[in-house]
Amino acid sequence: MLRLLLSMLAVFAGQSLQAGPGQHAVASAHPLATAAAQEVLAAGGNAFDAAVAVTAALGVVEPQGSGLGGGGFFLVHRADDGRSVMVDARETAPAAAHPDLYLDADGEVIPGLSLDGPLAAAIPGMPAALGHLAANYGRLSLAKNLEPAIRLAEEGFPVDATFLQMAGFRLHALRDGADAARVFLREGDLPEEGEAIVQPELAATLRRLADRGPAGFYEGEIAQRLVEGVRAAGGIWALEDLANYELVEREPVVLHYCGARVVSASPPSSGGIAIGQMLHILAAGGNRYGDDEVDRVHLLVEAMRRAYRDRALYLGDPDHVDIPVERLLSMEYASGLRADIDPERATPSTELPLDPDAVPGPVPPAIDSESEQTTHFSVMDAEGNRVAATITLNYPFGSAFMPPGTGVLLNNEMDDFATRPGEPNVYGLIGFEANAIRPHRRPLSSMSPTFVETPDRIAVLGTPGGSRIITMVLHGILAIVEGAGASEVVQARRFHHQYLPDRIEYETAALGSRVQLELARRGHALSPQIRPFGNMQVVIWDRQRDRLEAASDPRGNGSAAVFTPVPAR
Ligand code: DON
């Protein structure tokens, strides 16, 4: 009744006055995780409770993408006071980490060391995030929100095609660790599709988290087992690393573009700043970039190239390095970058100066596009609370190492550091001093959970995809600003440039043959990709039309749902 009255008032006033959409919406990369959110929302939880439930459930049913042994960024917005915050649960380097950790005596990078096994693992932030969200933002208890995940871990979930593909890709690493192999493989080989993966040890760890909060993970028996397991297998974790893990609430990056307010991830994510630079480069030309498709792609690519150059040079953990945020996000700086773009010719990346101290590395390898993992979910509740969260173990199944008796698969986020100045990581990204390995530092990330707020609509979005996350989210923002609906946004074809390697990577249907020919004529190297990009999850509330929609990327197996709250009895 009150809602009806408010919308009548809104019509009368010629504007929307609703505080919230009156319905809940969730989009996640797995139907069982979406169902977990529905379960806690139906039990009276809010969007933050749903975020806890989805995160925990994804860690069980999509173990290749995220989990308790990883980390991530939760962009949260509280409807009652309008506050938006980034909950930074990024992993941190252990105290014993140092810049030469992955180098041999000759200073060469030892292949695989920052990817497979416990030395690749940073200290997880995920258990801290679950506790923090439930305690500070949720309405239900942590234990209640963890119930669906505990059930899924105890009863098992059916293996799907994505799990098999990713487990196949990481088979050697998974076979190397007895515990991971026991849980995810069958006598060293892949399980059958549809077979149940049961995780009793993970269920027990989740129960401990439910009973004792984050201390149940970072201290006591679980912490002991984690550290013993890591050290016995050649890792460098210490009990203090776990006990000292600190979650940080940070101000998100806030941008203004074409009448929209864009709220995105701040450092240690590179997402918000890079997105800001690219939007500002577009805006510096009065937003005149859309008339001809070739001109549009050319300009976007040149903006991407420049933003990723700056990512490599300047971005890192804001608690350890000085990032010139103001300058990077100033319109003046963007105007300079825009003026430097030749509208008719690609700028070779080698002509864009790197810092004189920066040692350029070897030519980065091709991005291994099989590594399309990590995960994202978007949720909005009936009151307008919302969460965009991108969470990860980094590579599929992270380091593939599971300390005995914990059920917790550890991340390999250490590879997101520059293992050596100019050395490309697994996504081909390079970095220098700002992202060098140091004790307690957070590795630079590309994860970019984002809100787009226009006068009419509010969108919650994000995607996995390694280095391509940032440009995929940029495409999403531009589509939303231009009025696209949630399904259109997740379906849109994607292209990407990241400074090095100096080439446009694109989904084959993203660029027509005329566009390809003309881009090549302008000097761009083209690299069509057979495998699709990303797995975007979008929720959009159209306040003007009083409509809430959710969409899950057709490239993945996720699910989206919009549903009416059950009235409290
Ligand atoms: O934080 C980052 O940027 C990476 N660890 C994300 C990895 C990722 O998205 C892998 N997915 N496809």
Side-chain angles (χ1 to χ4, degrees):
M1 186 61 194
L2 181 65
R3 212 174 115 64
L4 185 68
L5 200 65
L6 283 175
S7 29
M8 281 166 66
L9 273 173
V11 171
F12 182 68
Q15 60 178 19
S16 179
L17 288 181
Q18 300 100 305
Q23 289 179 299
H24 305 309
V26 187
S28 94
H30 200 292
L32 291 171
T34 299
Q38 288 184 264
E39 184 178 325
V40 300
L41 284 162
N46 59 18
F48 313 116
D49 295 302
V52 174
V54 179
T55 302
L58 283 171
V60 176
V61 301
E62 200 195 29
Q64 66 271 26
S66 69
L68 285 185
F73 302 122
F74 297 77
L75 190 63
V76 309
H77 175 87
R78 211 159 43 187
D80 60 5
D81 61 1
R83 180 164 181 252
S84 292
V85 156
M86 183 178 91
V87 174
D88 169 2
R90 184 70 164 165
E91 301 90 329
T92 55
H98 54 84
D100 299 339
L101 192 58
Y102 302 110
L103 306 183
D104 65 16
D106 300 324
E108 297 298 323
V109 174
I110 303 169
L113 211 55
S114 61
L115 286 173
D116 302 332
L119 201 57
I123 305 303
M126 197 53 89
L130 296 174
H132 184 82
L133 288 168
N136 296 285
Y137 295 92
R139 210 172 273 150
L140 307 178
S141 67
L142 176 61
K144 179 75 191 160
N145 290 331
L146 293 181
E147 271 175 18
I150 293 171
R151 205 171 54 233
L152 290 164
E154 276 169 354
E155 293 174 6
F157 72 93
V159 163
D160 64 16
T162 313
F163 176 98
L164 286 177
Q165 197 183 8
M166 295 300 153
F169 175 63
R170 296 289 279 149
L171 196 55
H172 286 291
L174 285 168
R175 278 177 181 156
D176 275 355
D179 278 57
R182 185 168 40 76
V183 175
F184 299 119
L185 303 179
R186 298 290 173 261
E187 282 159 27
D189 281 315
L190 296 178
E192 296 288 320
E193 190 163 347
E195 217 175 295
I197 300 283
V198 184
Q199 302 174 77
E201 286 168 342
L202 178 57
T205 299
L206 283 164
R207 276 193 195 286
R208 207 169 269 262
L209 186 64
D211 292 345
R212 304 187 191 175
F217 180 93
Y218 292 100
E219 294 163 26
E221 211 174 304
I222 298 291
Q224 198 86 37
R225 283 187 205 160
L226 289 167
V227 170
E228 272 167 20
V230 161
R231 294 187 82 91
I236 54 171
W237 286 16
L239 282 172
E240 302 77 61
D241 289 323
L242 288 168
N244 295 336
Y245 179 82
E246 272 180 37
L247 175 137
V248 187
E249 284 210 347
R250 300 188 193 274
E251 290 299 318
V253 169
V254 178
L255 309 156
H256 297 276
Y257 175 74
C258 272
R261 182 170 180 268
V262 177
V263 182
S264 192
S266 50
S269 170
S270 53
I273 290 182
I275 288 167
Q277 282 189 252
M278 294 186 287
L279 291 176
H280 291 163
I281 290 173
L282 301 183
N287 299 318
R288 284 192 318 276
Y289 70 96
D291 296 345
D292 176 78
E293 201 192 337
V294 179
D295 290 342
R296 176 183 161 99
V297 176
H298 175 78
L299 179 57
L300 278 168
V301 163
E302 292 303 321
M304 291 171 183
R305 184 196 305 279
R306 284 159 177 79
Y308 276 78
R309 186 269 313 263
D310 286 352
R311 178 195 194 278
L313 282 178
Y314 301 116
L315 303 190
D317 181 343
D319 296 336
H320 292 254
V321 294
D322 281 329
I323 303 173
V325 178
E326 219 169 289
R327 179 169 137 248
L328 293 176
L329 287 180
S330 72
M331 274 313 291
E332 206 183 358
Y333 181 63
S335 303
L337 293 178
R338 172 77 186 239
D340 174 57
I341 296 173
D342 182 336
E344 287 301 318
R345 295 294 302 164
T347 311
S349 289
T350 47
E351 282 178 19
L352 283 182
L354 280 167
D355 185 278
D357 295 334
V359 187
V363 177
I367 292 174
D368 189 350
S369 50
E370 287 242 55
S371 63
E372 294 296 329
Q373 266 317 304
T374 298
T375 196
H376 177 91
F377 65 86
S378 295
V379 54
M380 189 182 296
D381 68 21
E383 291 151 47
N385 298 306
R386 48 186 139 108
V387 180
T390 314
I391 52 180
T392 188
L393 293 173
N394 193 23
Y395 222 37
F397 294 92
S399 65
F401 180 73
M402 184 181 275
T406 64
V408 177
L409 203 48
L410 301 186
N411 69 83
N412 58 359
E413 228 69 58
M414 292 297 285
D415 189 68
D416 276 348
F417 281 117
T419 50
R420 190 172 65 165
E423 182 75 24
N425 74 359
V426 80
Y427 308 107
L429 292 166
I430 58 167
F432 300 95
E433 182 49 39
N435 190 30
I437 303 173
R438 293 280 187 283
H440 311 298
R441 257 197 200 179
R442 286 160 145 84
L444 184 62
S445 173
S446 302
M447 294 187 290
S448 311
T450 297
F451 300 142
V452 182
E453 302 165 358
T454 72
D456 294 344
R457 304 195 303 162
I458 291 178
V460 183
L461 74 153
T463 179
S467 55
R468 296 177 187 150
I469 291 173
I470 302 170
T471 54
M472 287 192 265
V473 171
L474 175 75
H475 288 305
I477 294 167
L478 294 174
I480 290 160
V481 169
E482 285 160 20
S487 304
E488 220 179 316
V489 174
V490 297
Q491 280 169 34
R493 300 291 166 196
R494 296 160 185 156
F495 60 87
H496 168 80
H497 196 292
Q498 61 179 47
Y499 177 64
L500 289 175
D502 188 351
R503 63 186 189 200
I504 304 175
E505 293 163 5
Y506 59 101
E507 291 185 308
T508 42
L511 305 177
S513 47
R514 179 188 78 86
V515 177
Q516 290 176 35
L517 278 174
E518 184 56 23
L519 288 169
R521 200 189 62 73
R522 292 185 190 189
H524 292 283
L526 297 175
S527 176
Q529 307 284 309
I530 293 157
R531 290 178 58 82
F533 291 16
N535 191 7
M536 190 169 274
Q537 312 296 328
V538 178
V539 167
I540 299 181
W541 173 30
D542 188 327
R543 290 188 281 190
Q544 210 58 43
R545 294 201 178 89
D546 194 16
R547 200 175 61 199
L548 184 65
E549 44 166 5
S552 182
D553 202 317
R555 294 163 183 82
N557 317 320
S559 75
V562 174
F563 52 101
T564 308
V566 188
R569 275 192 263 173

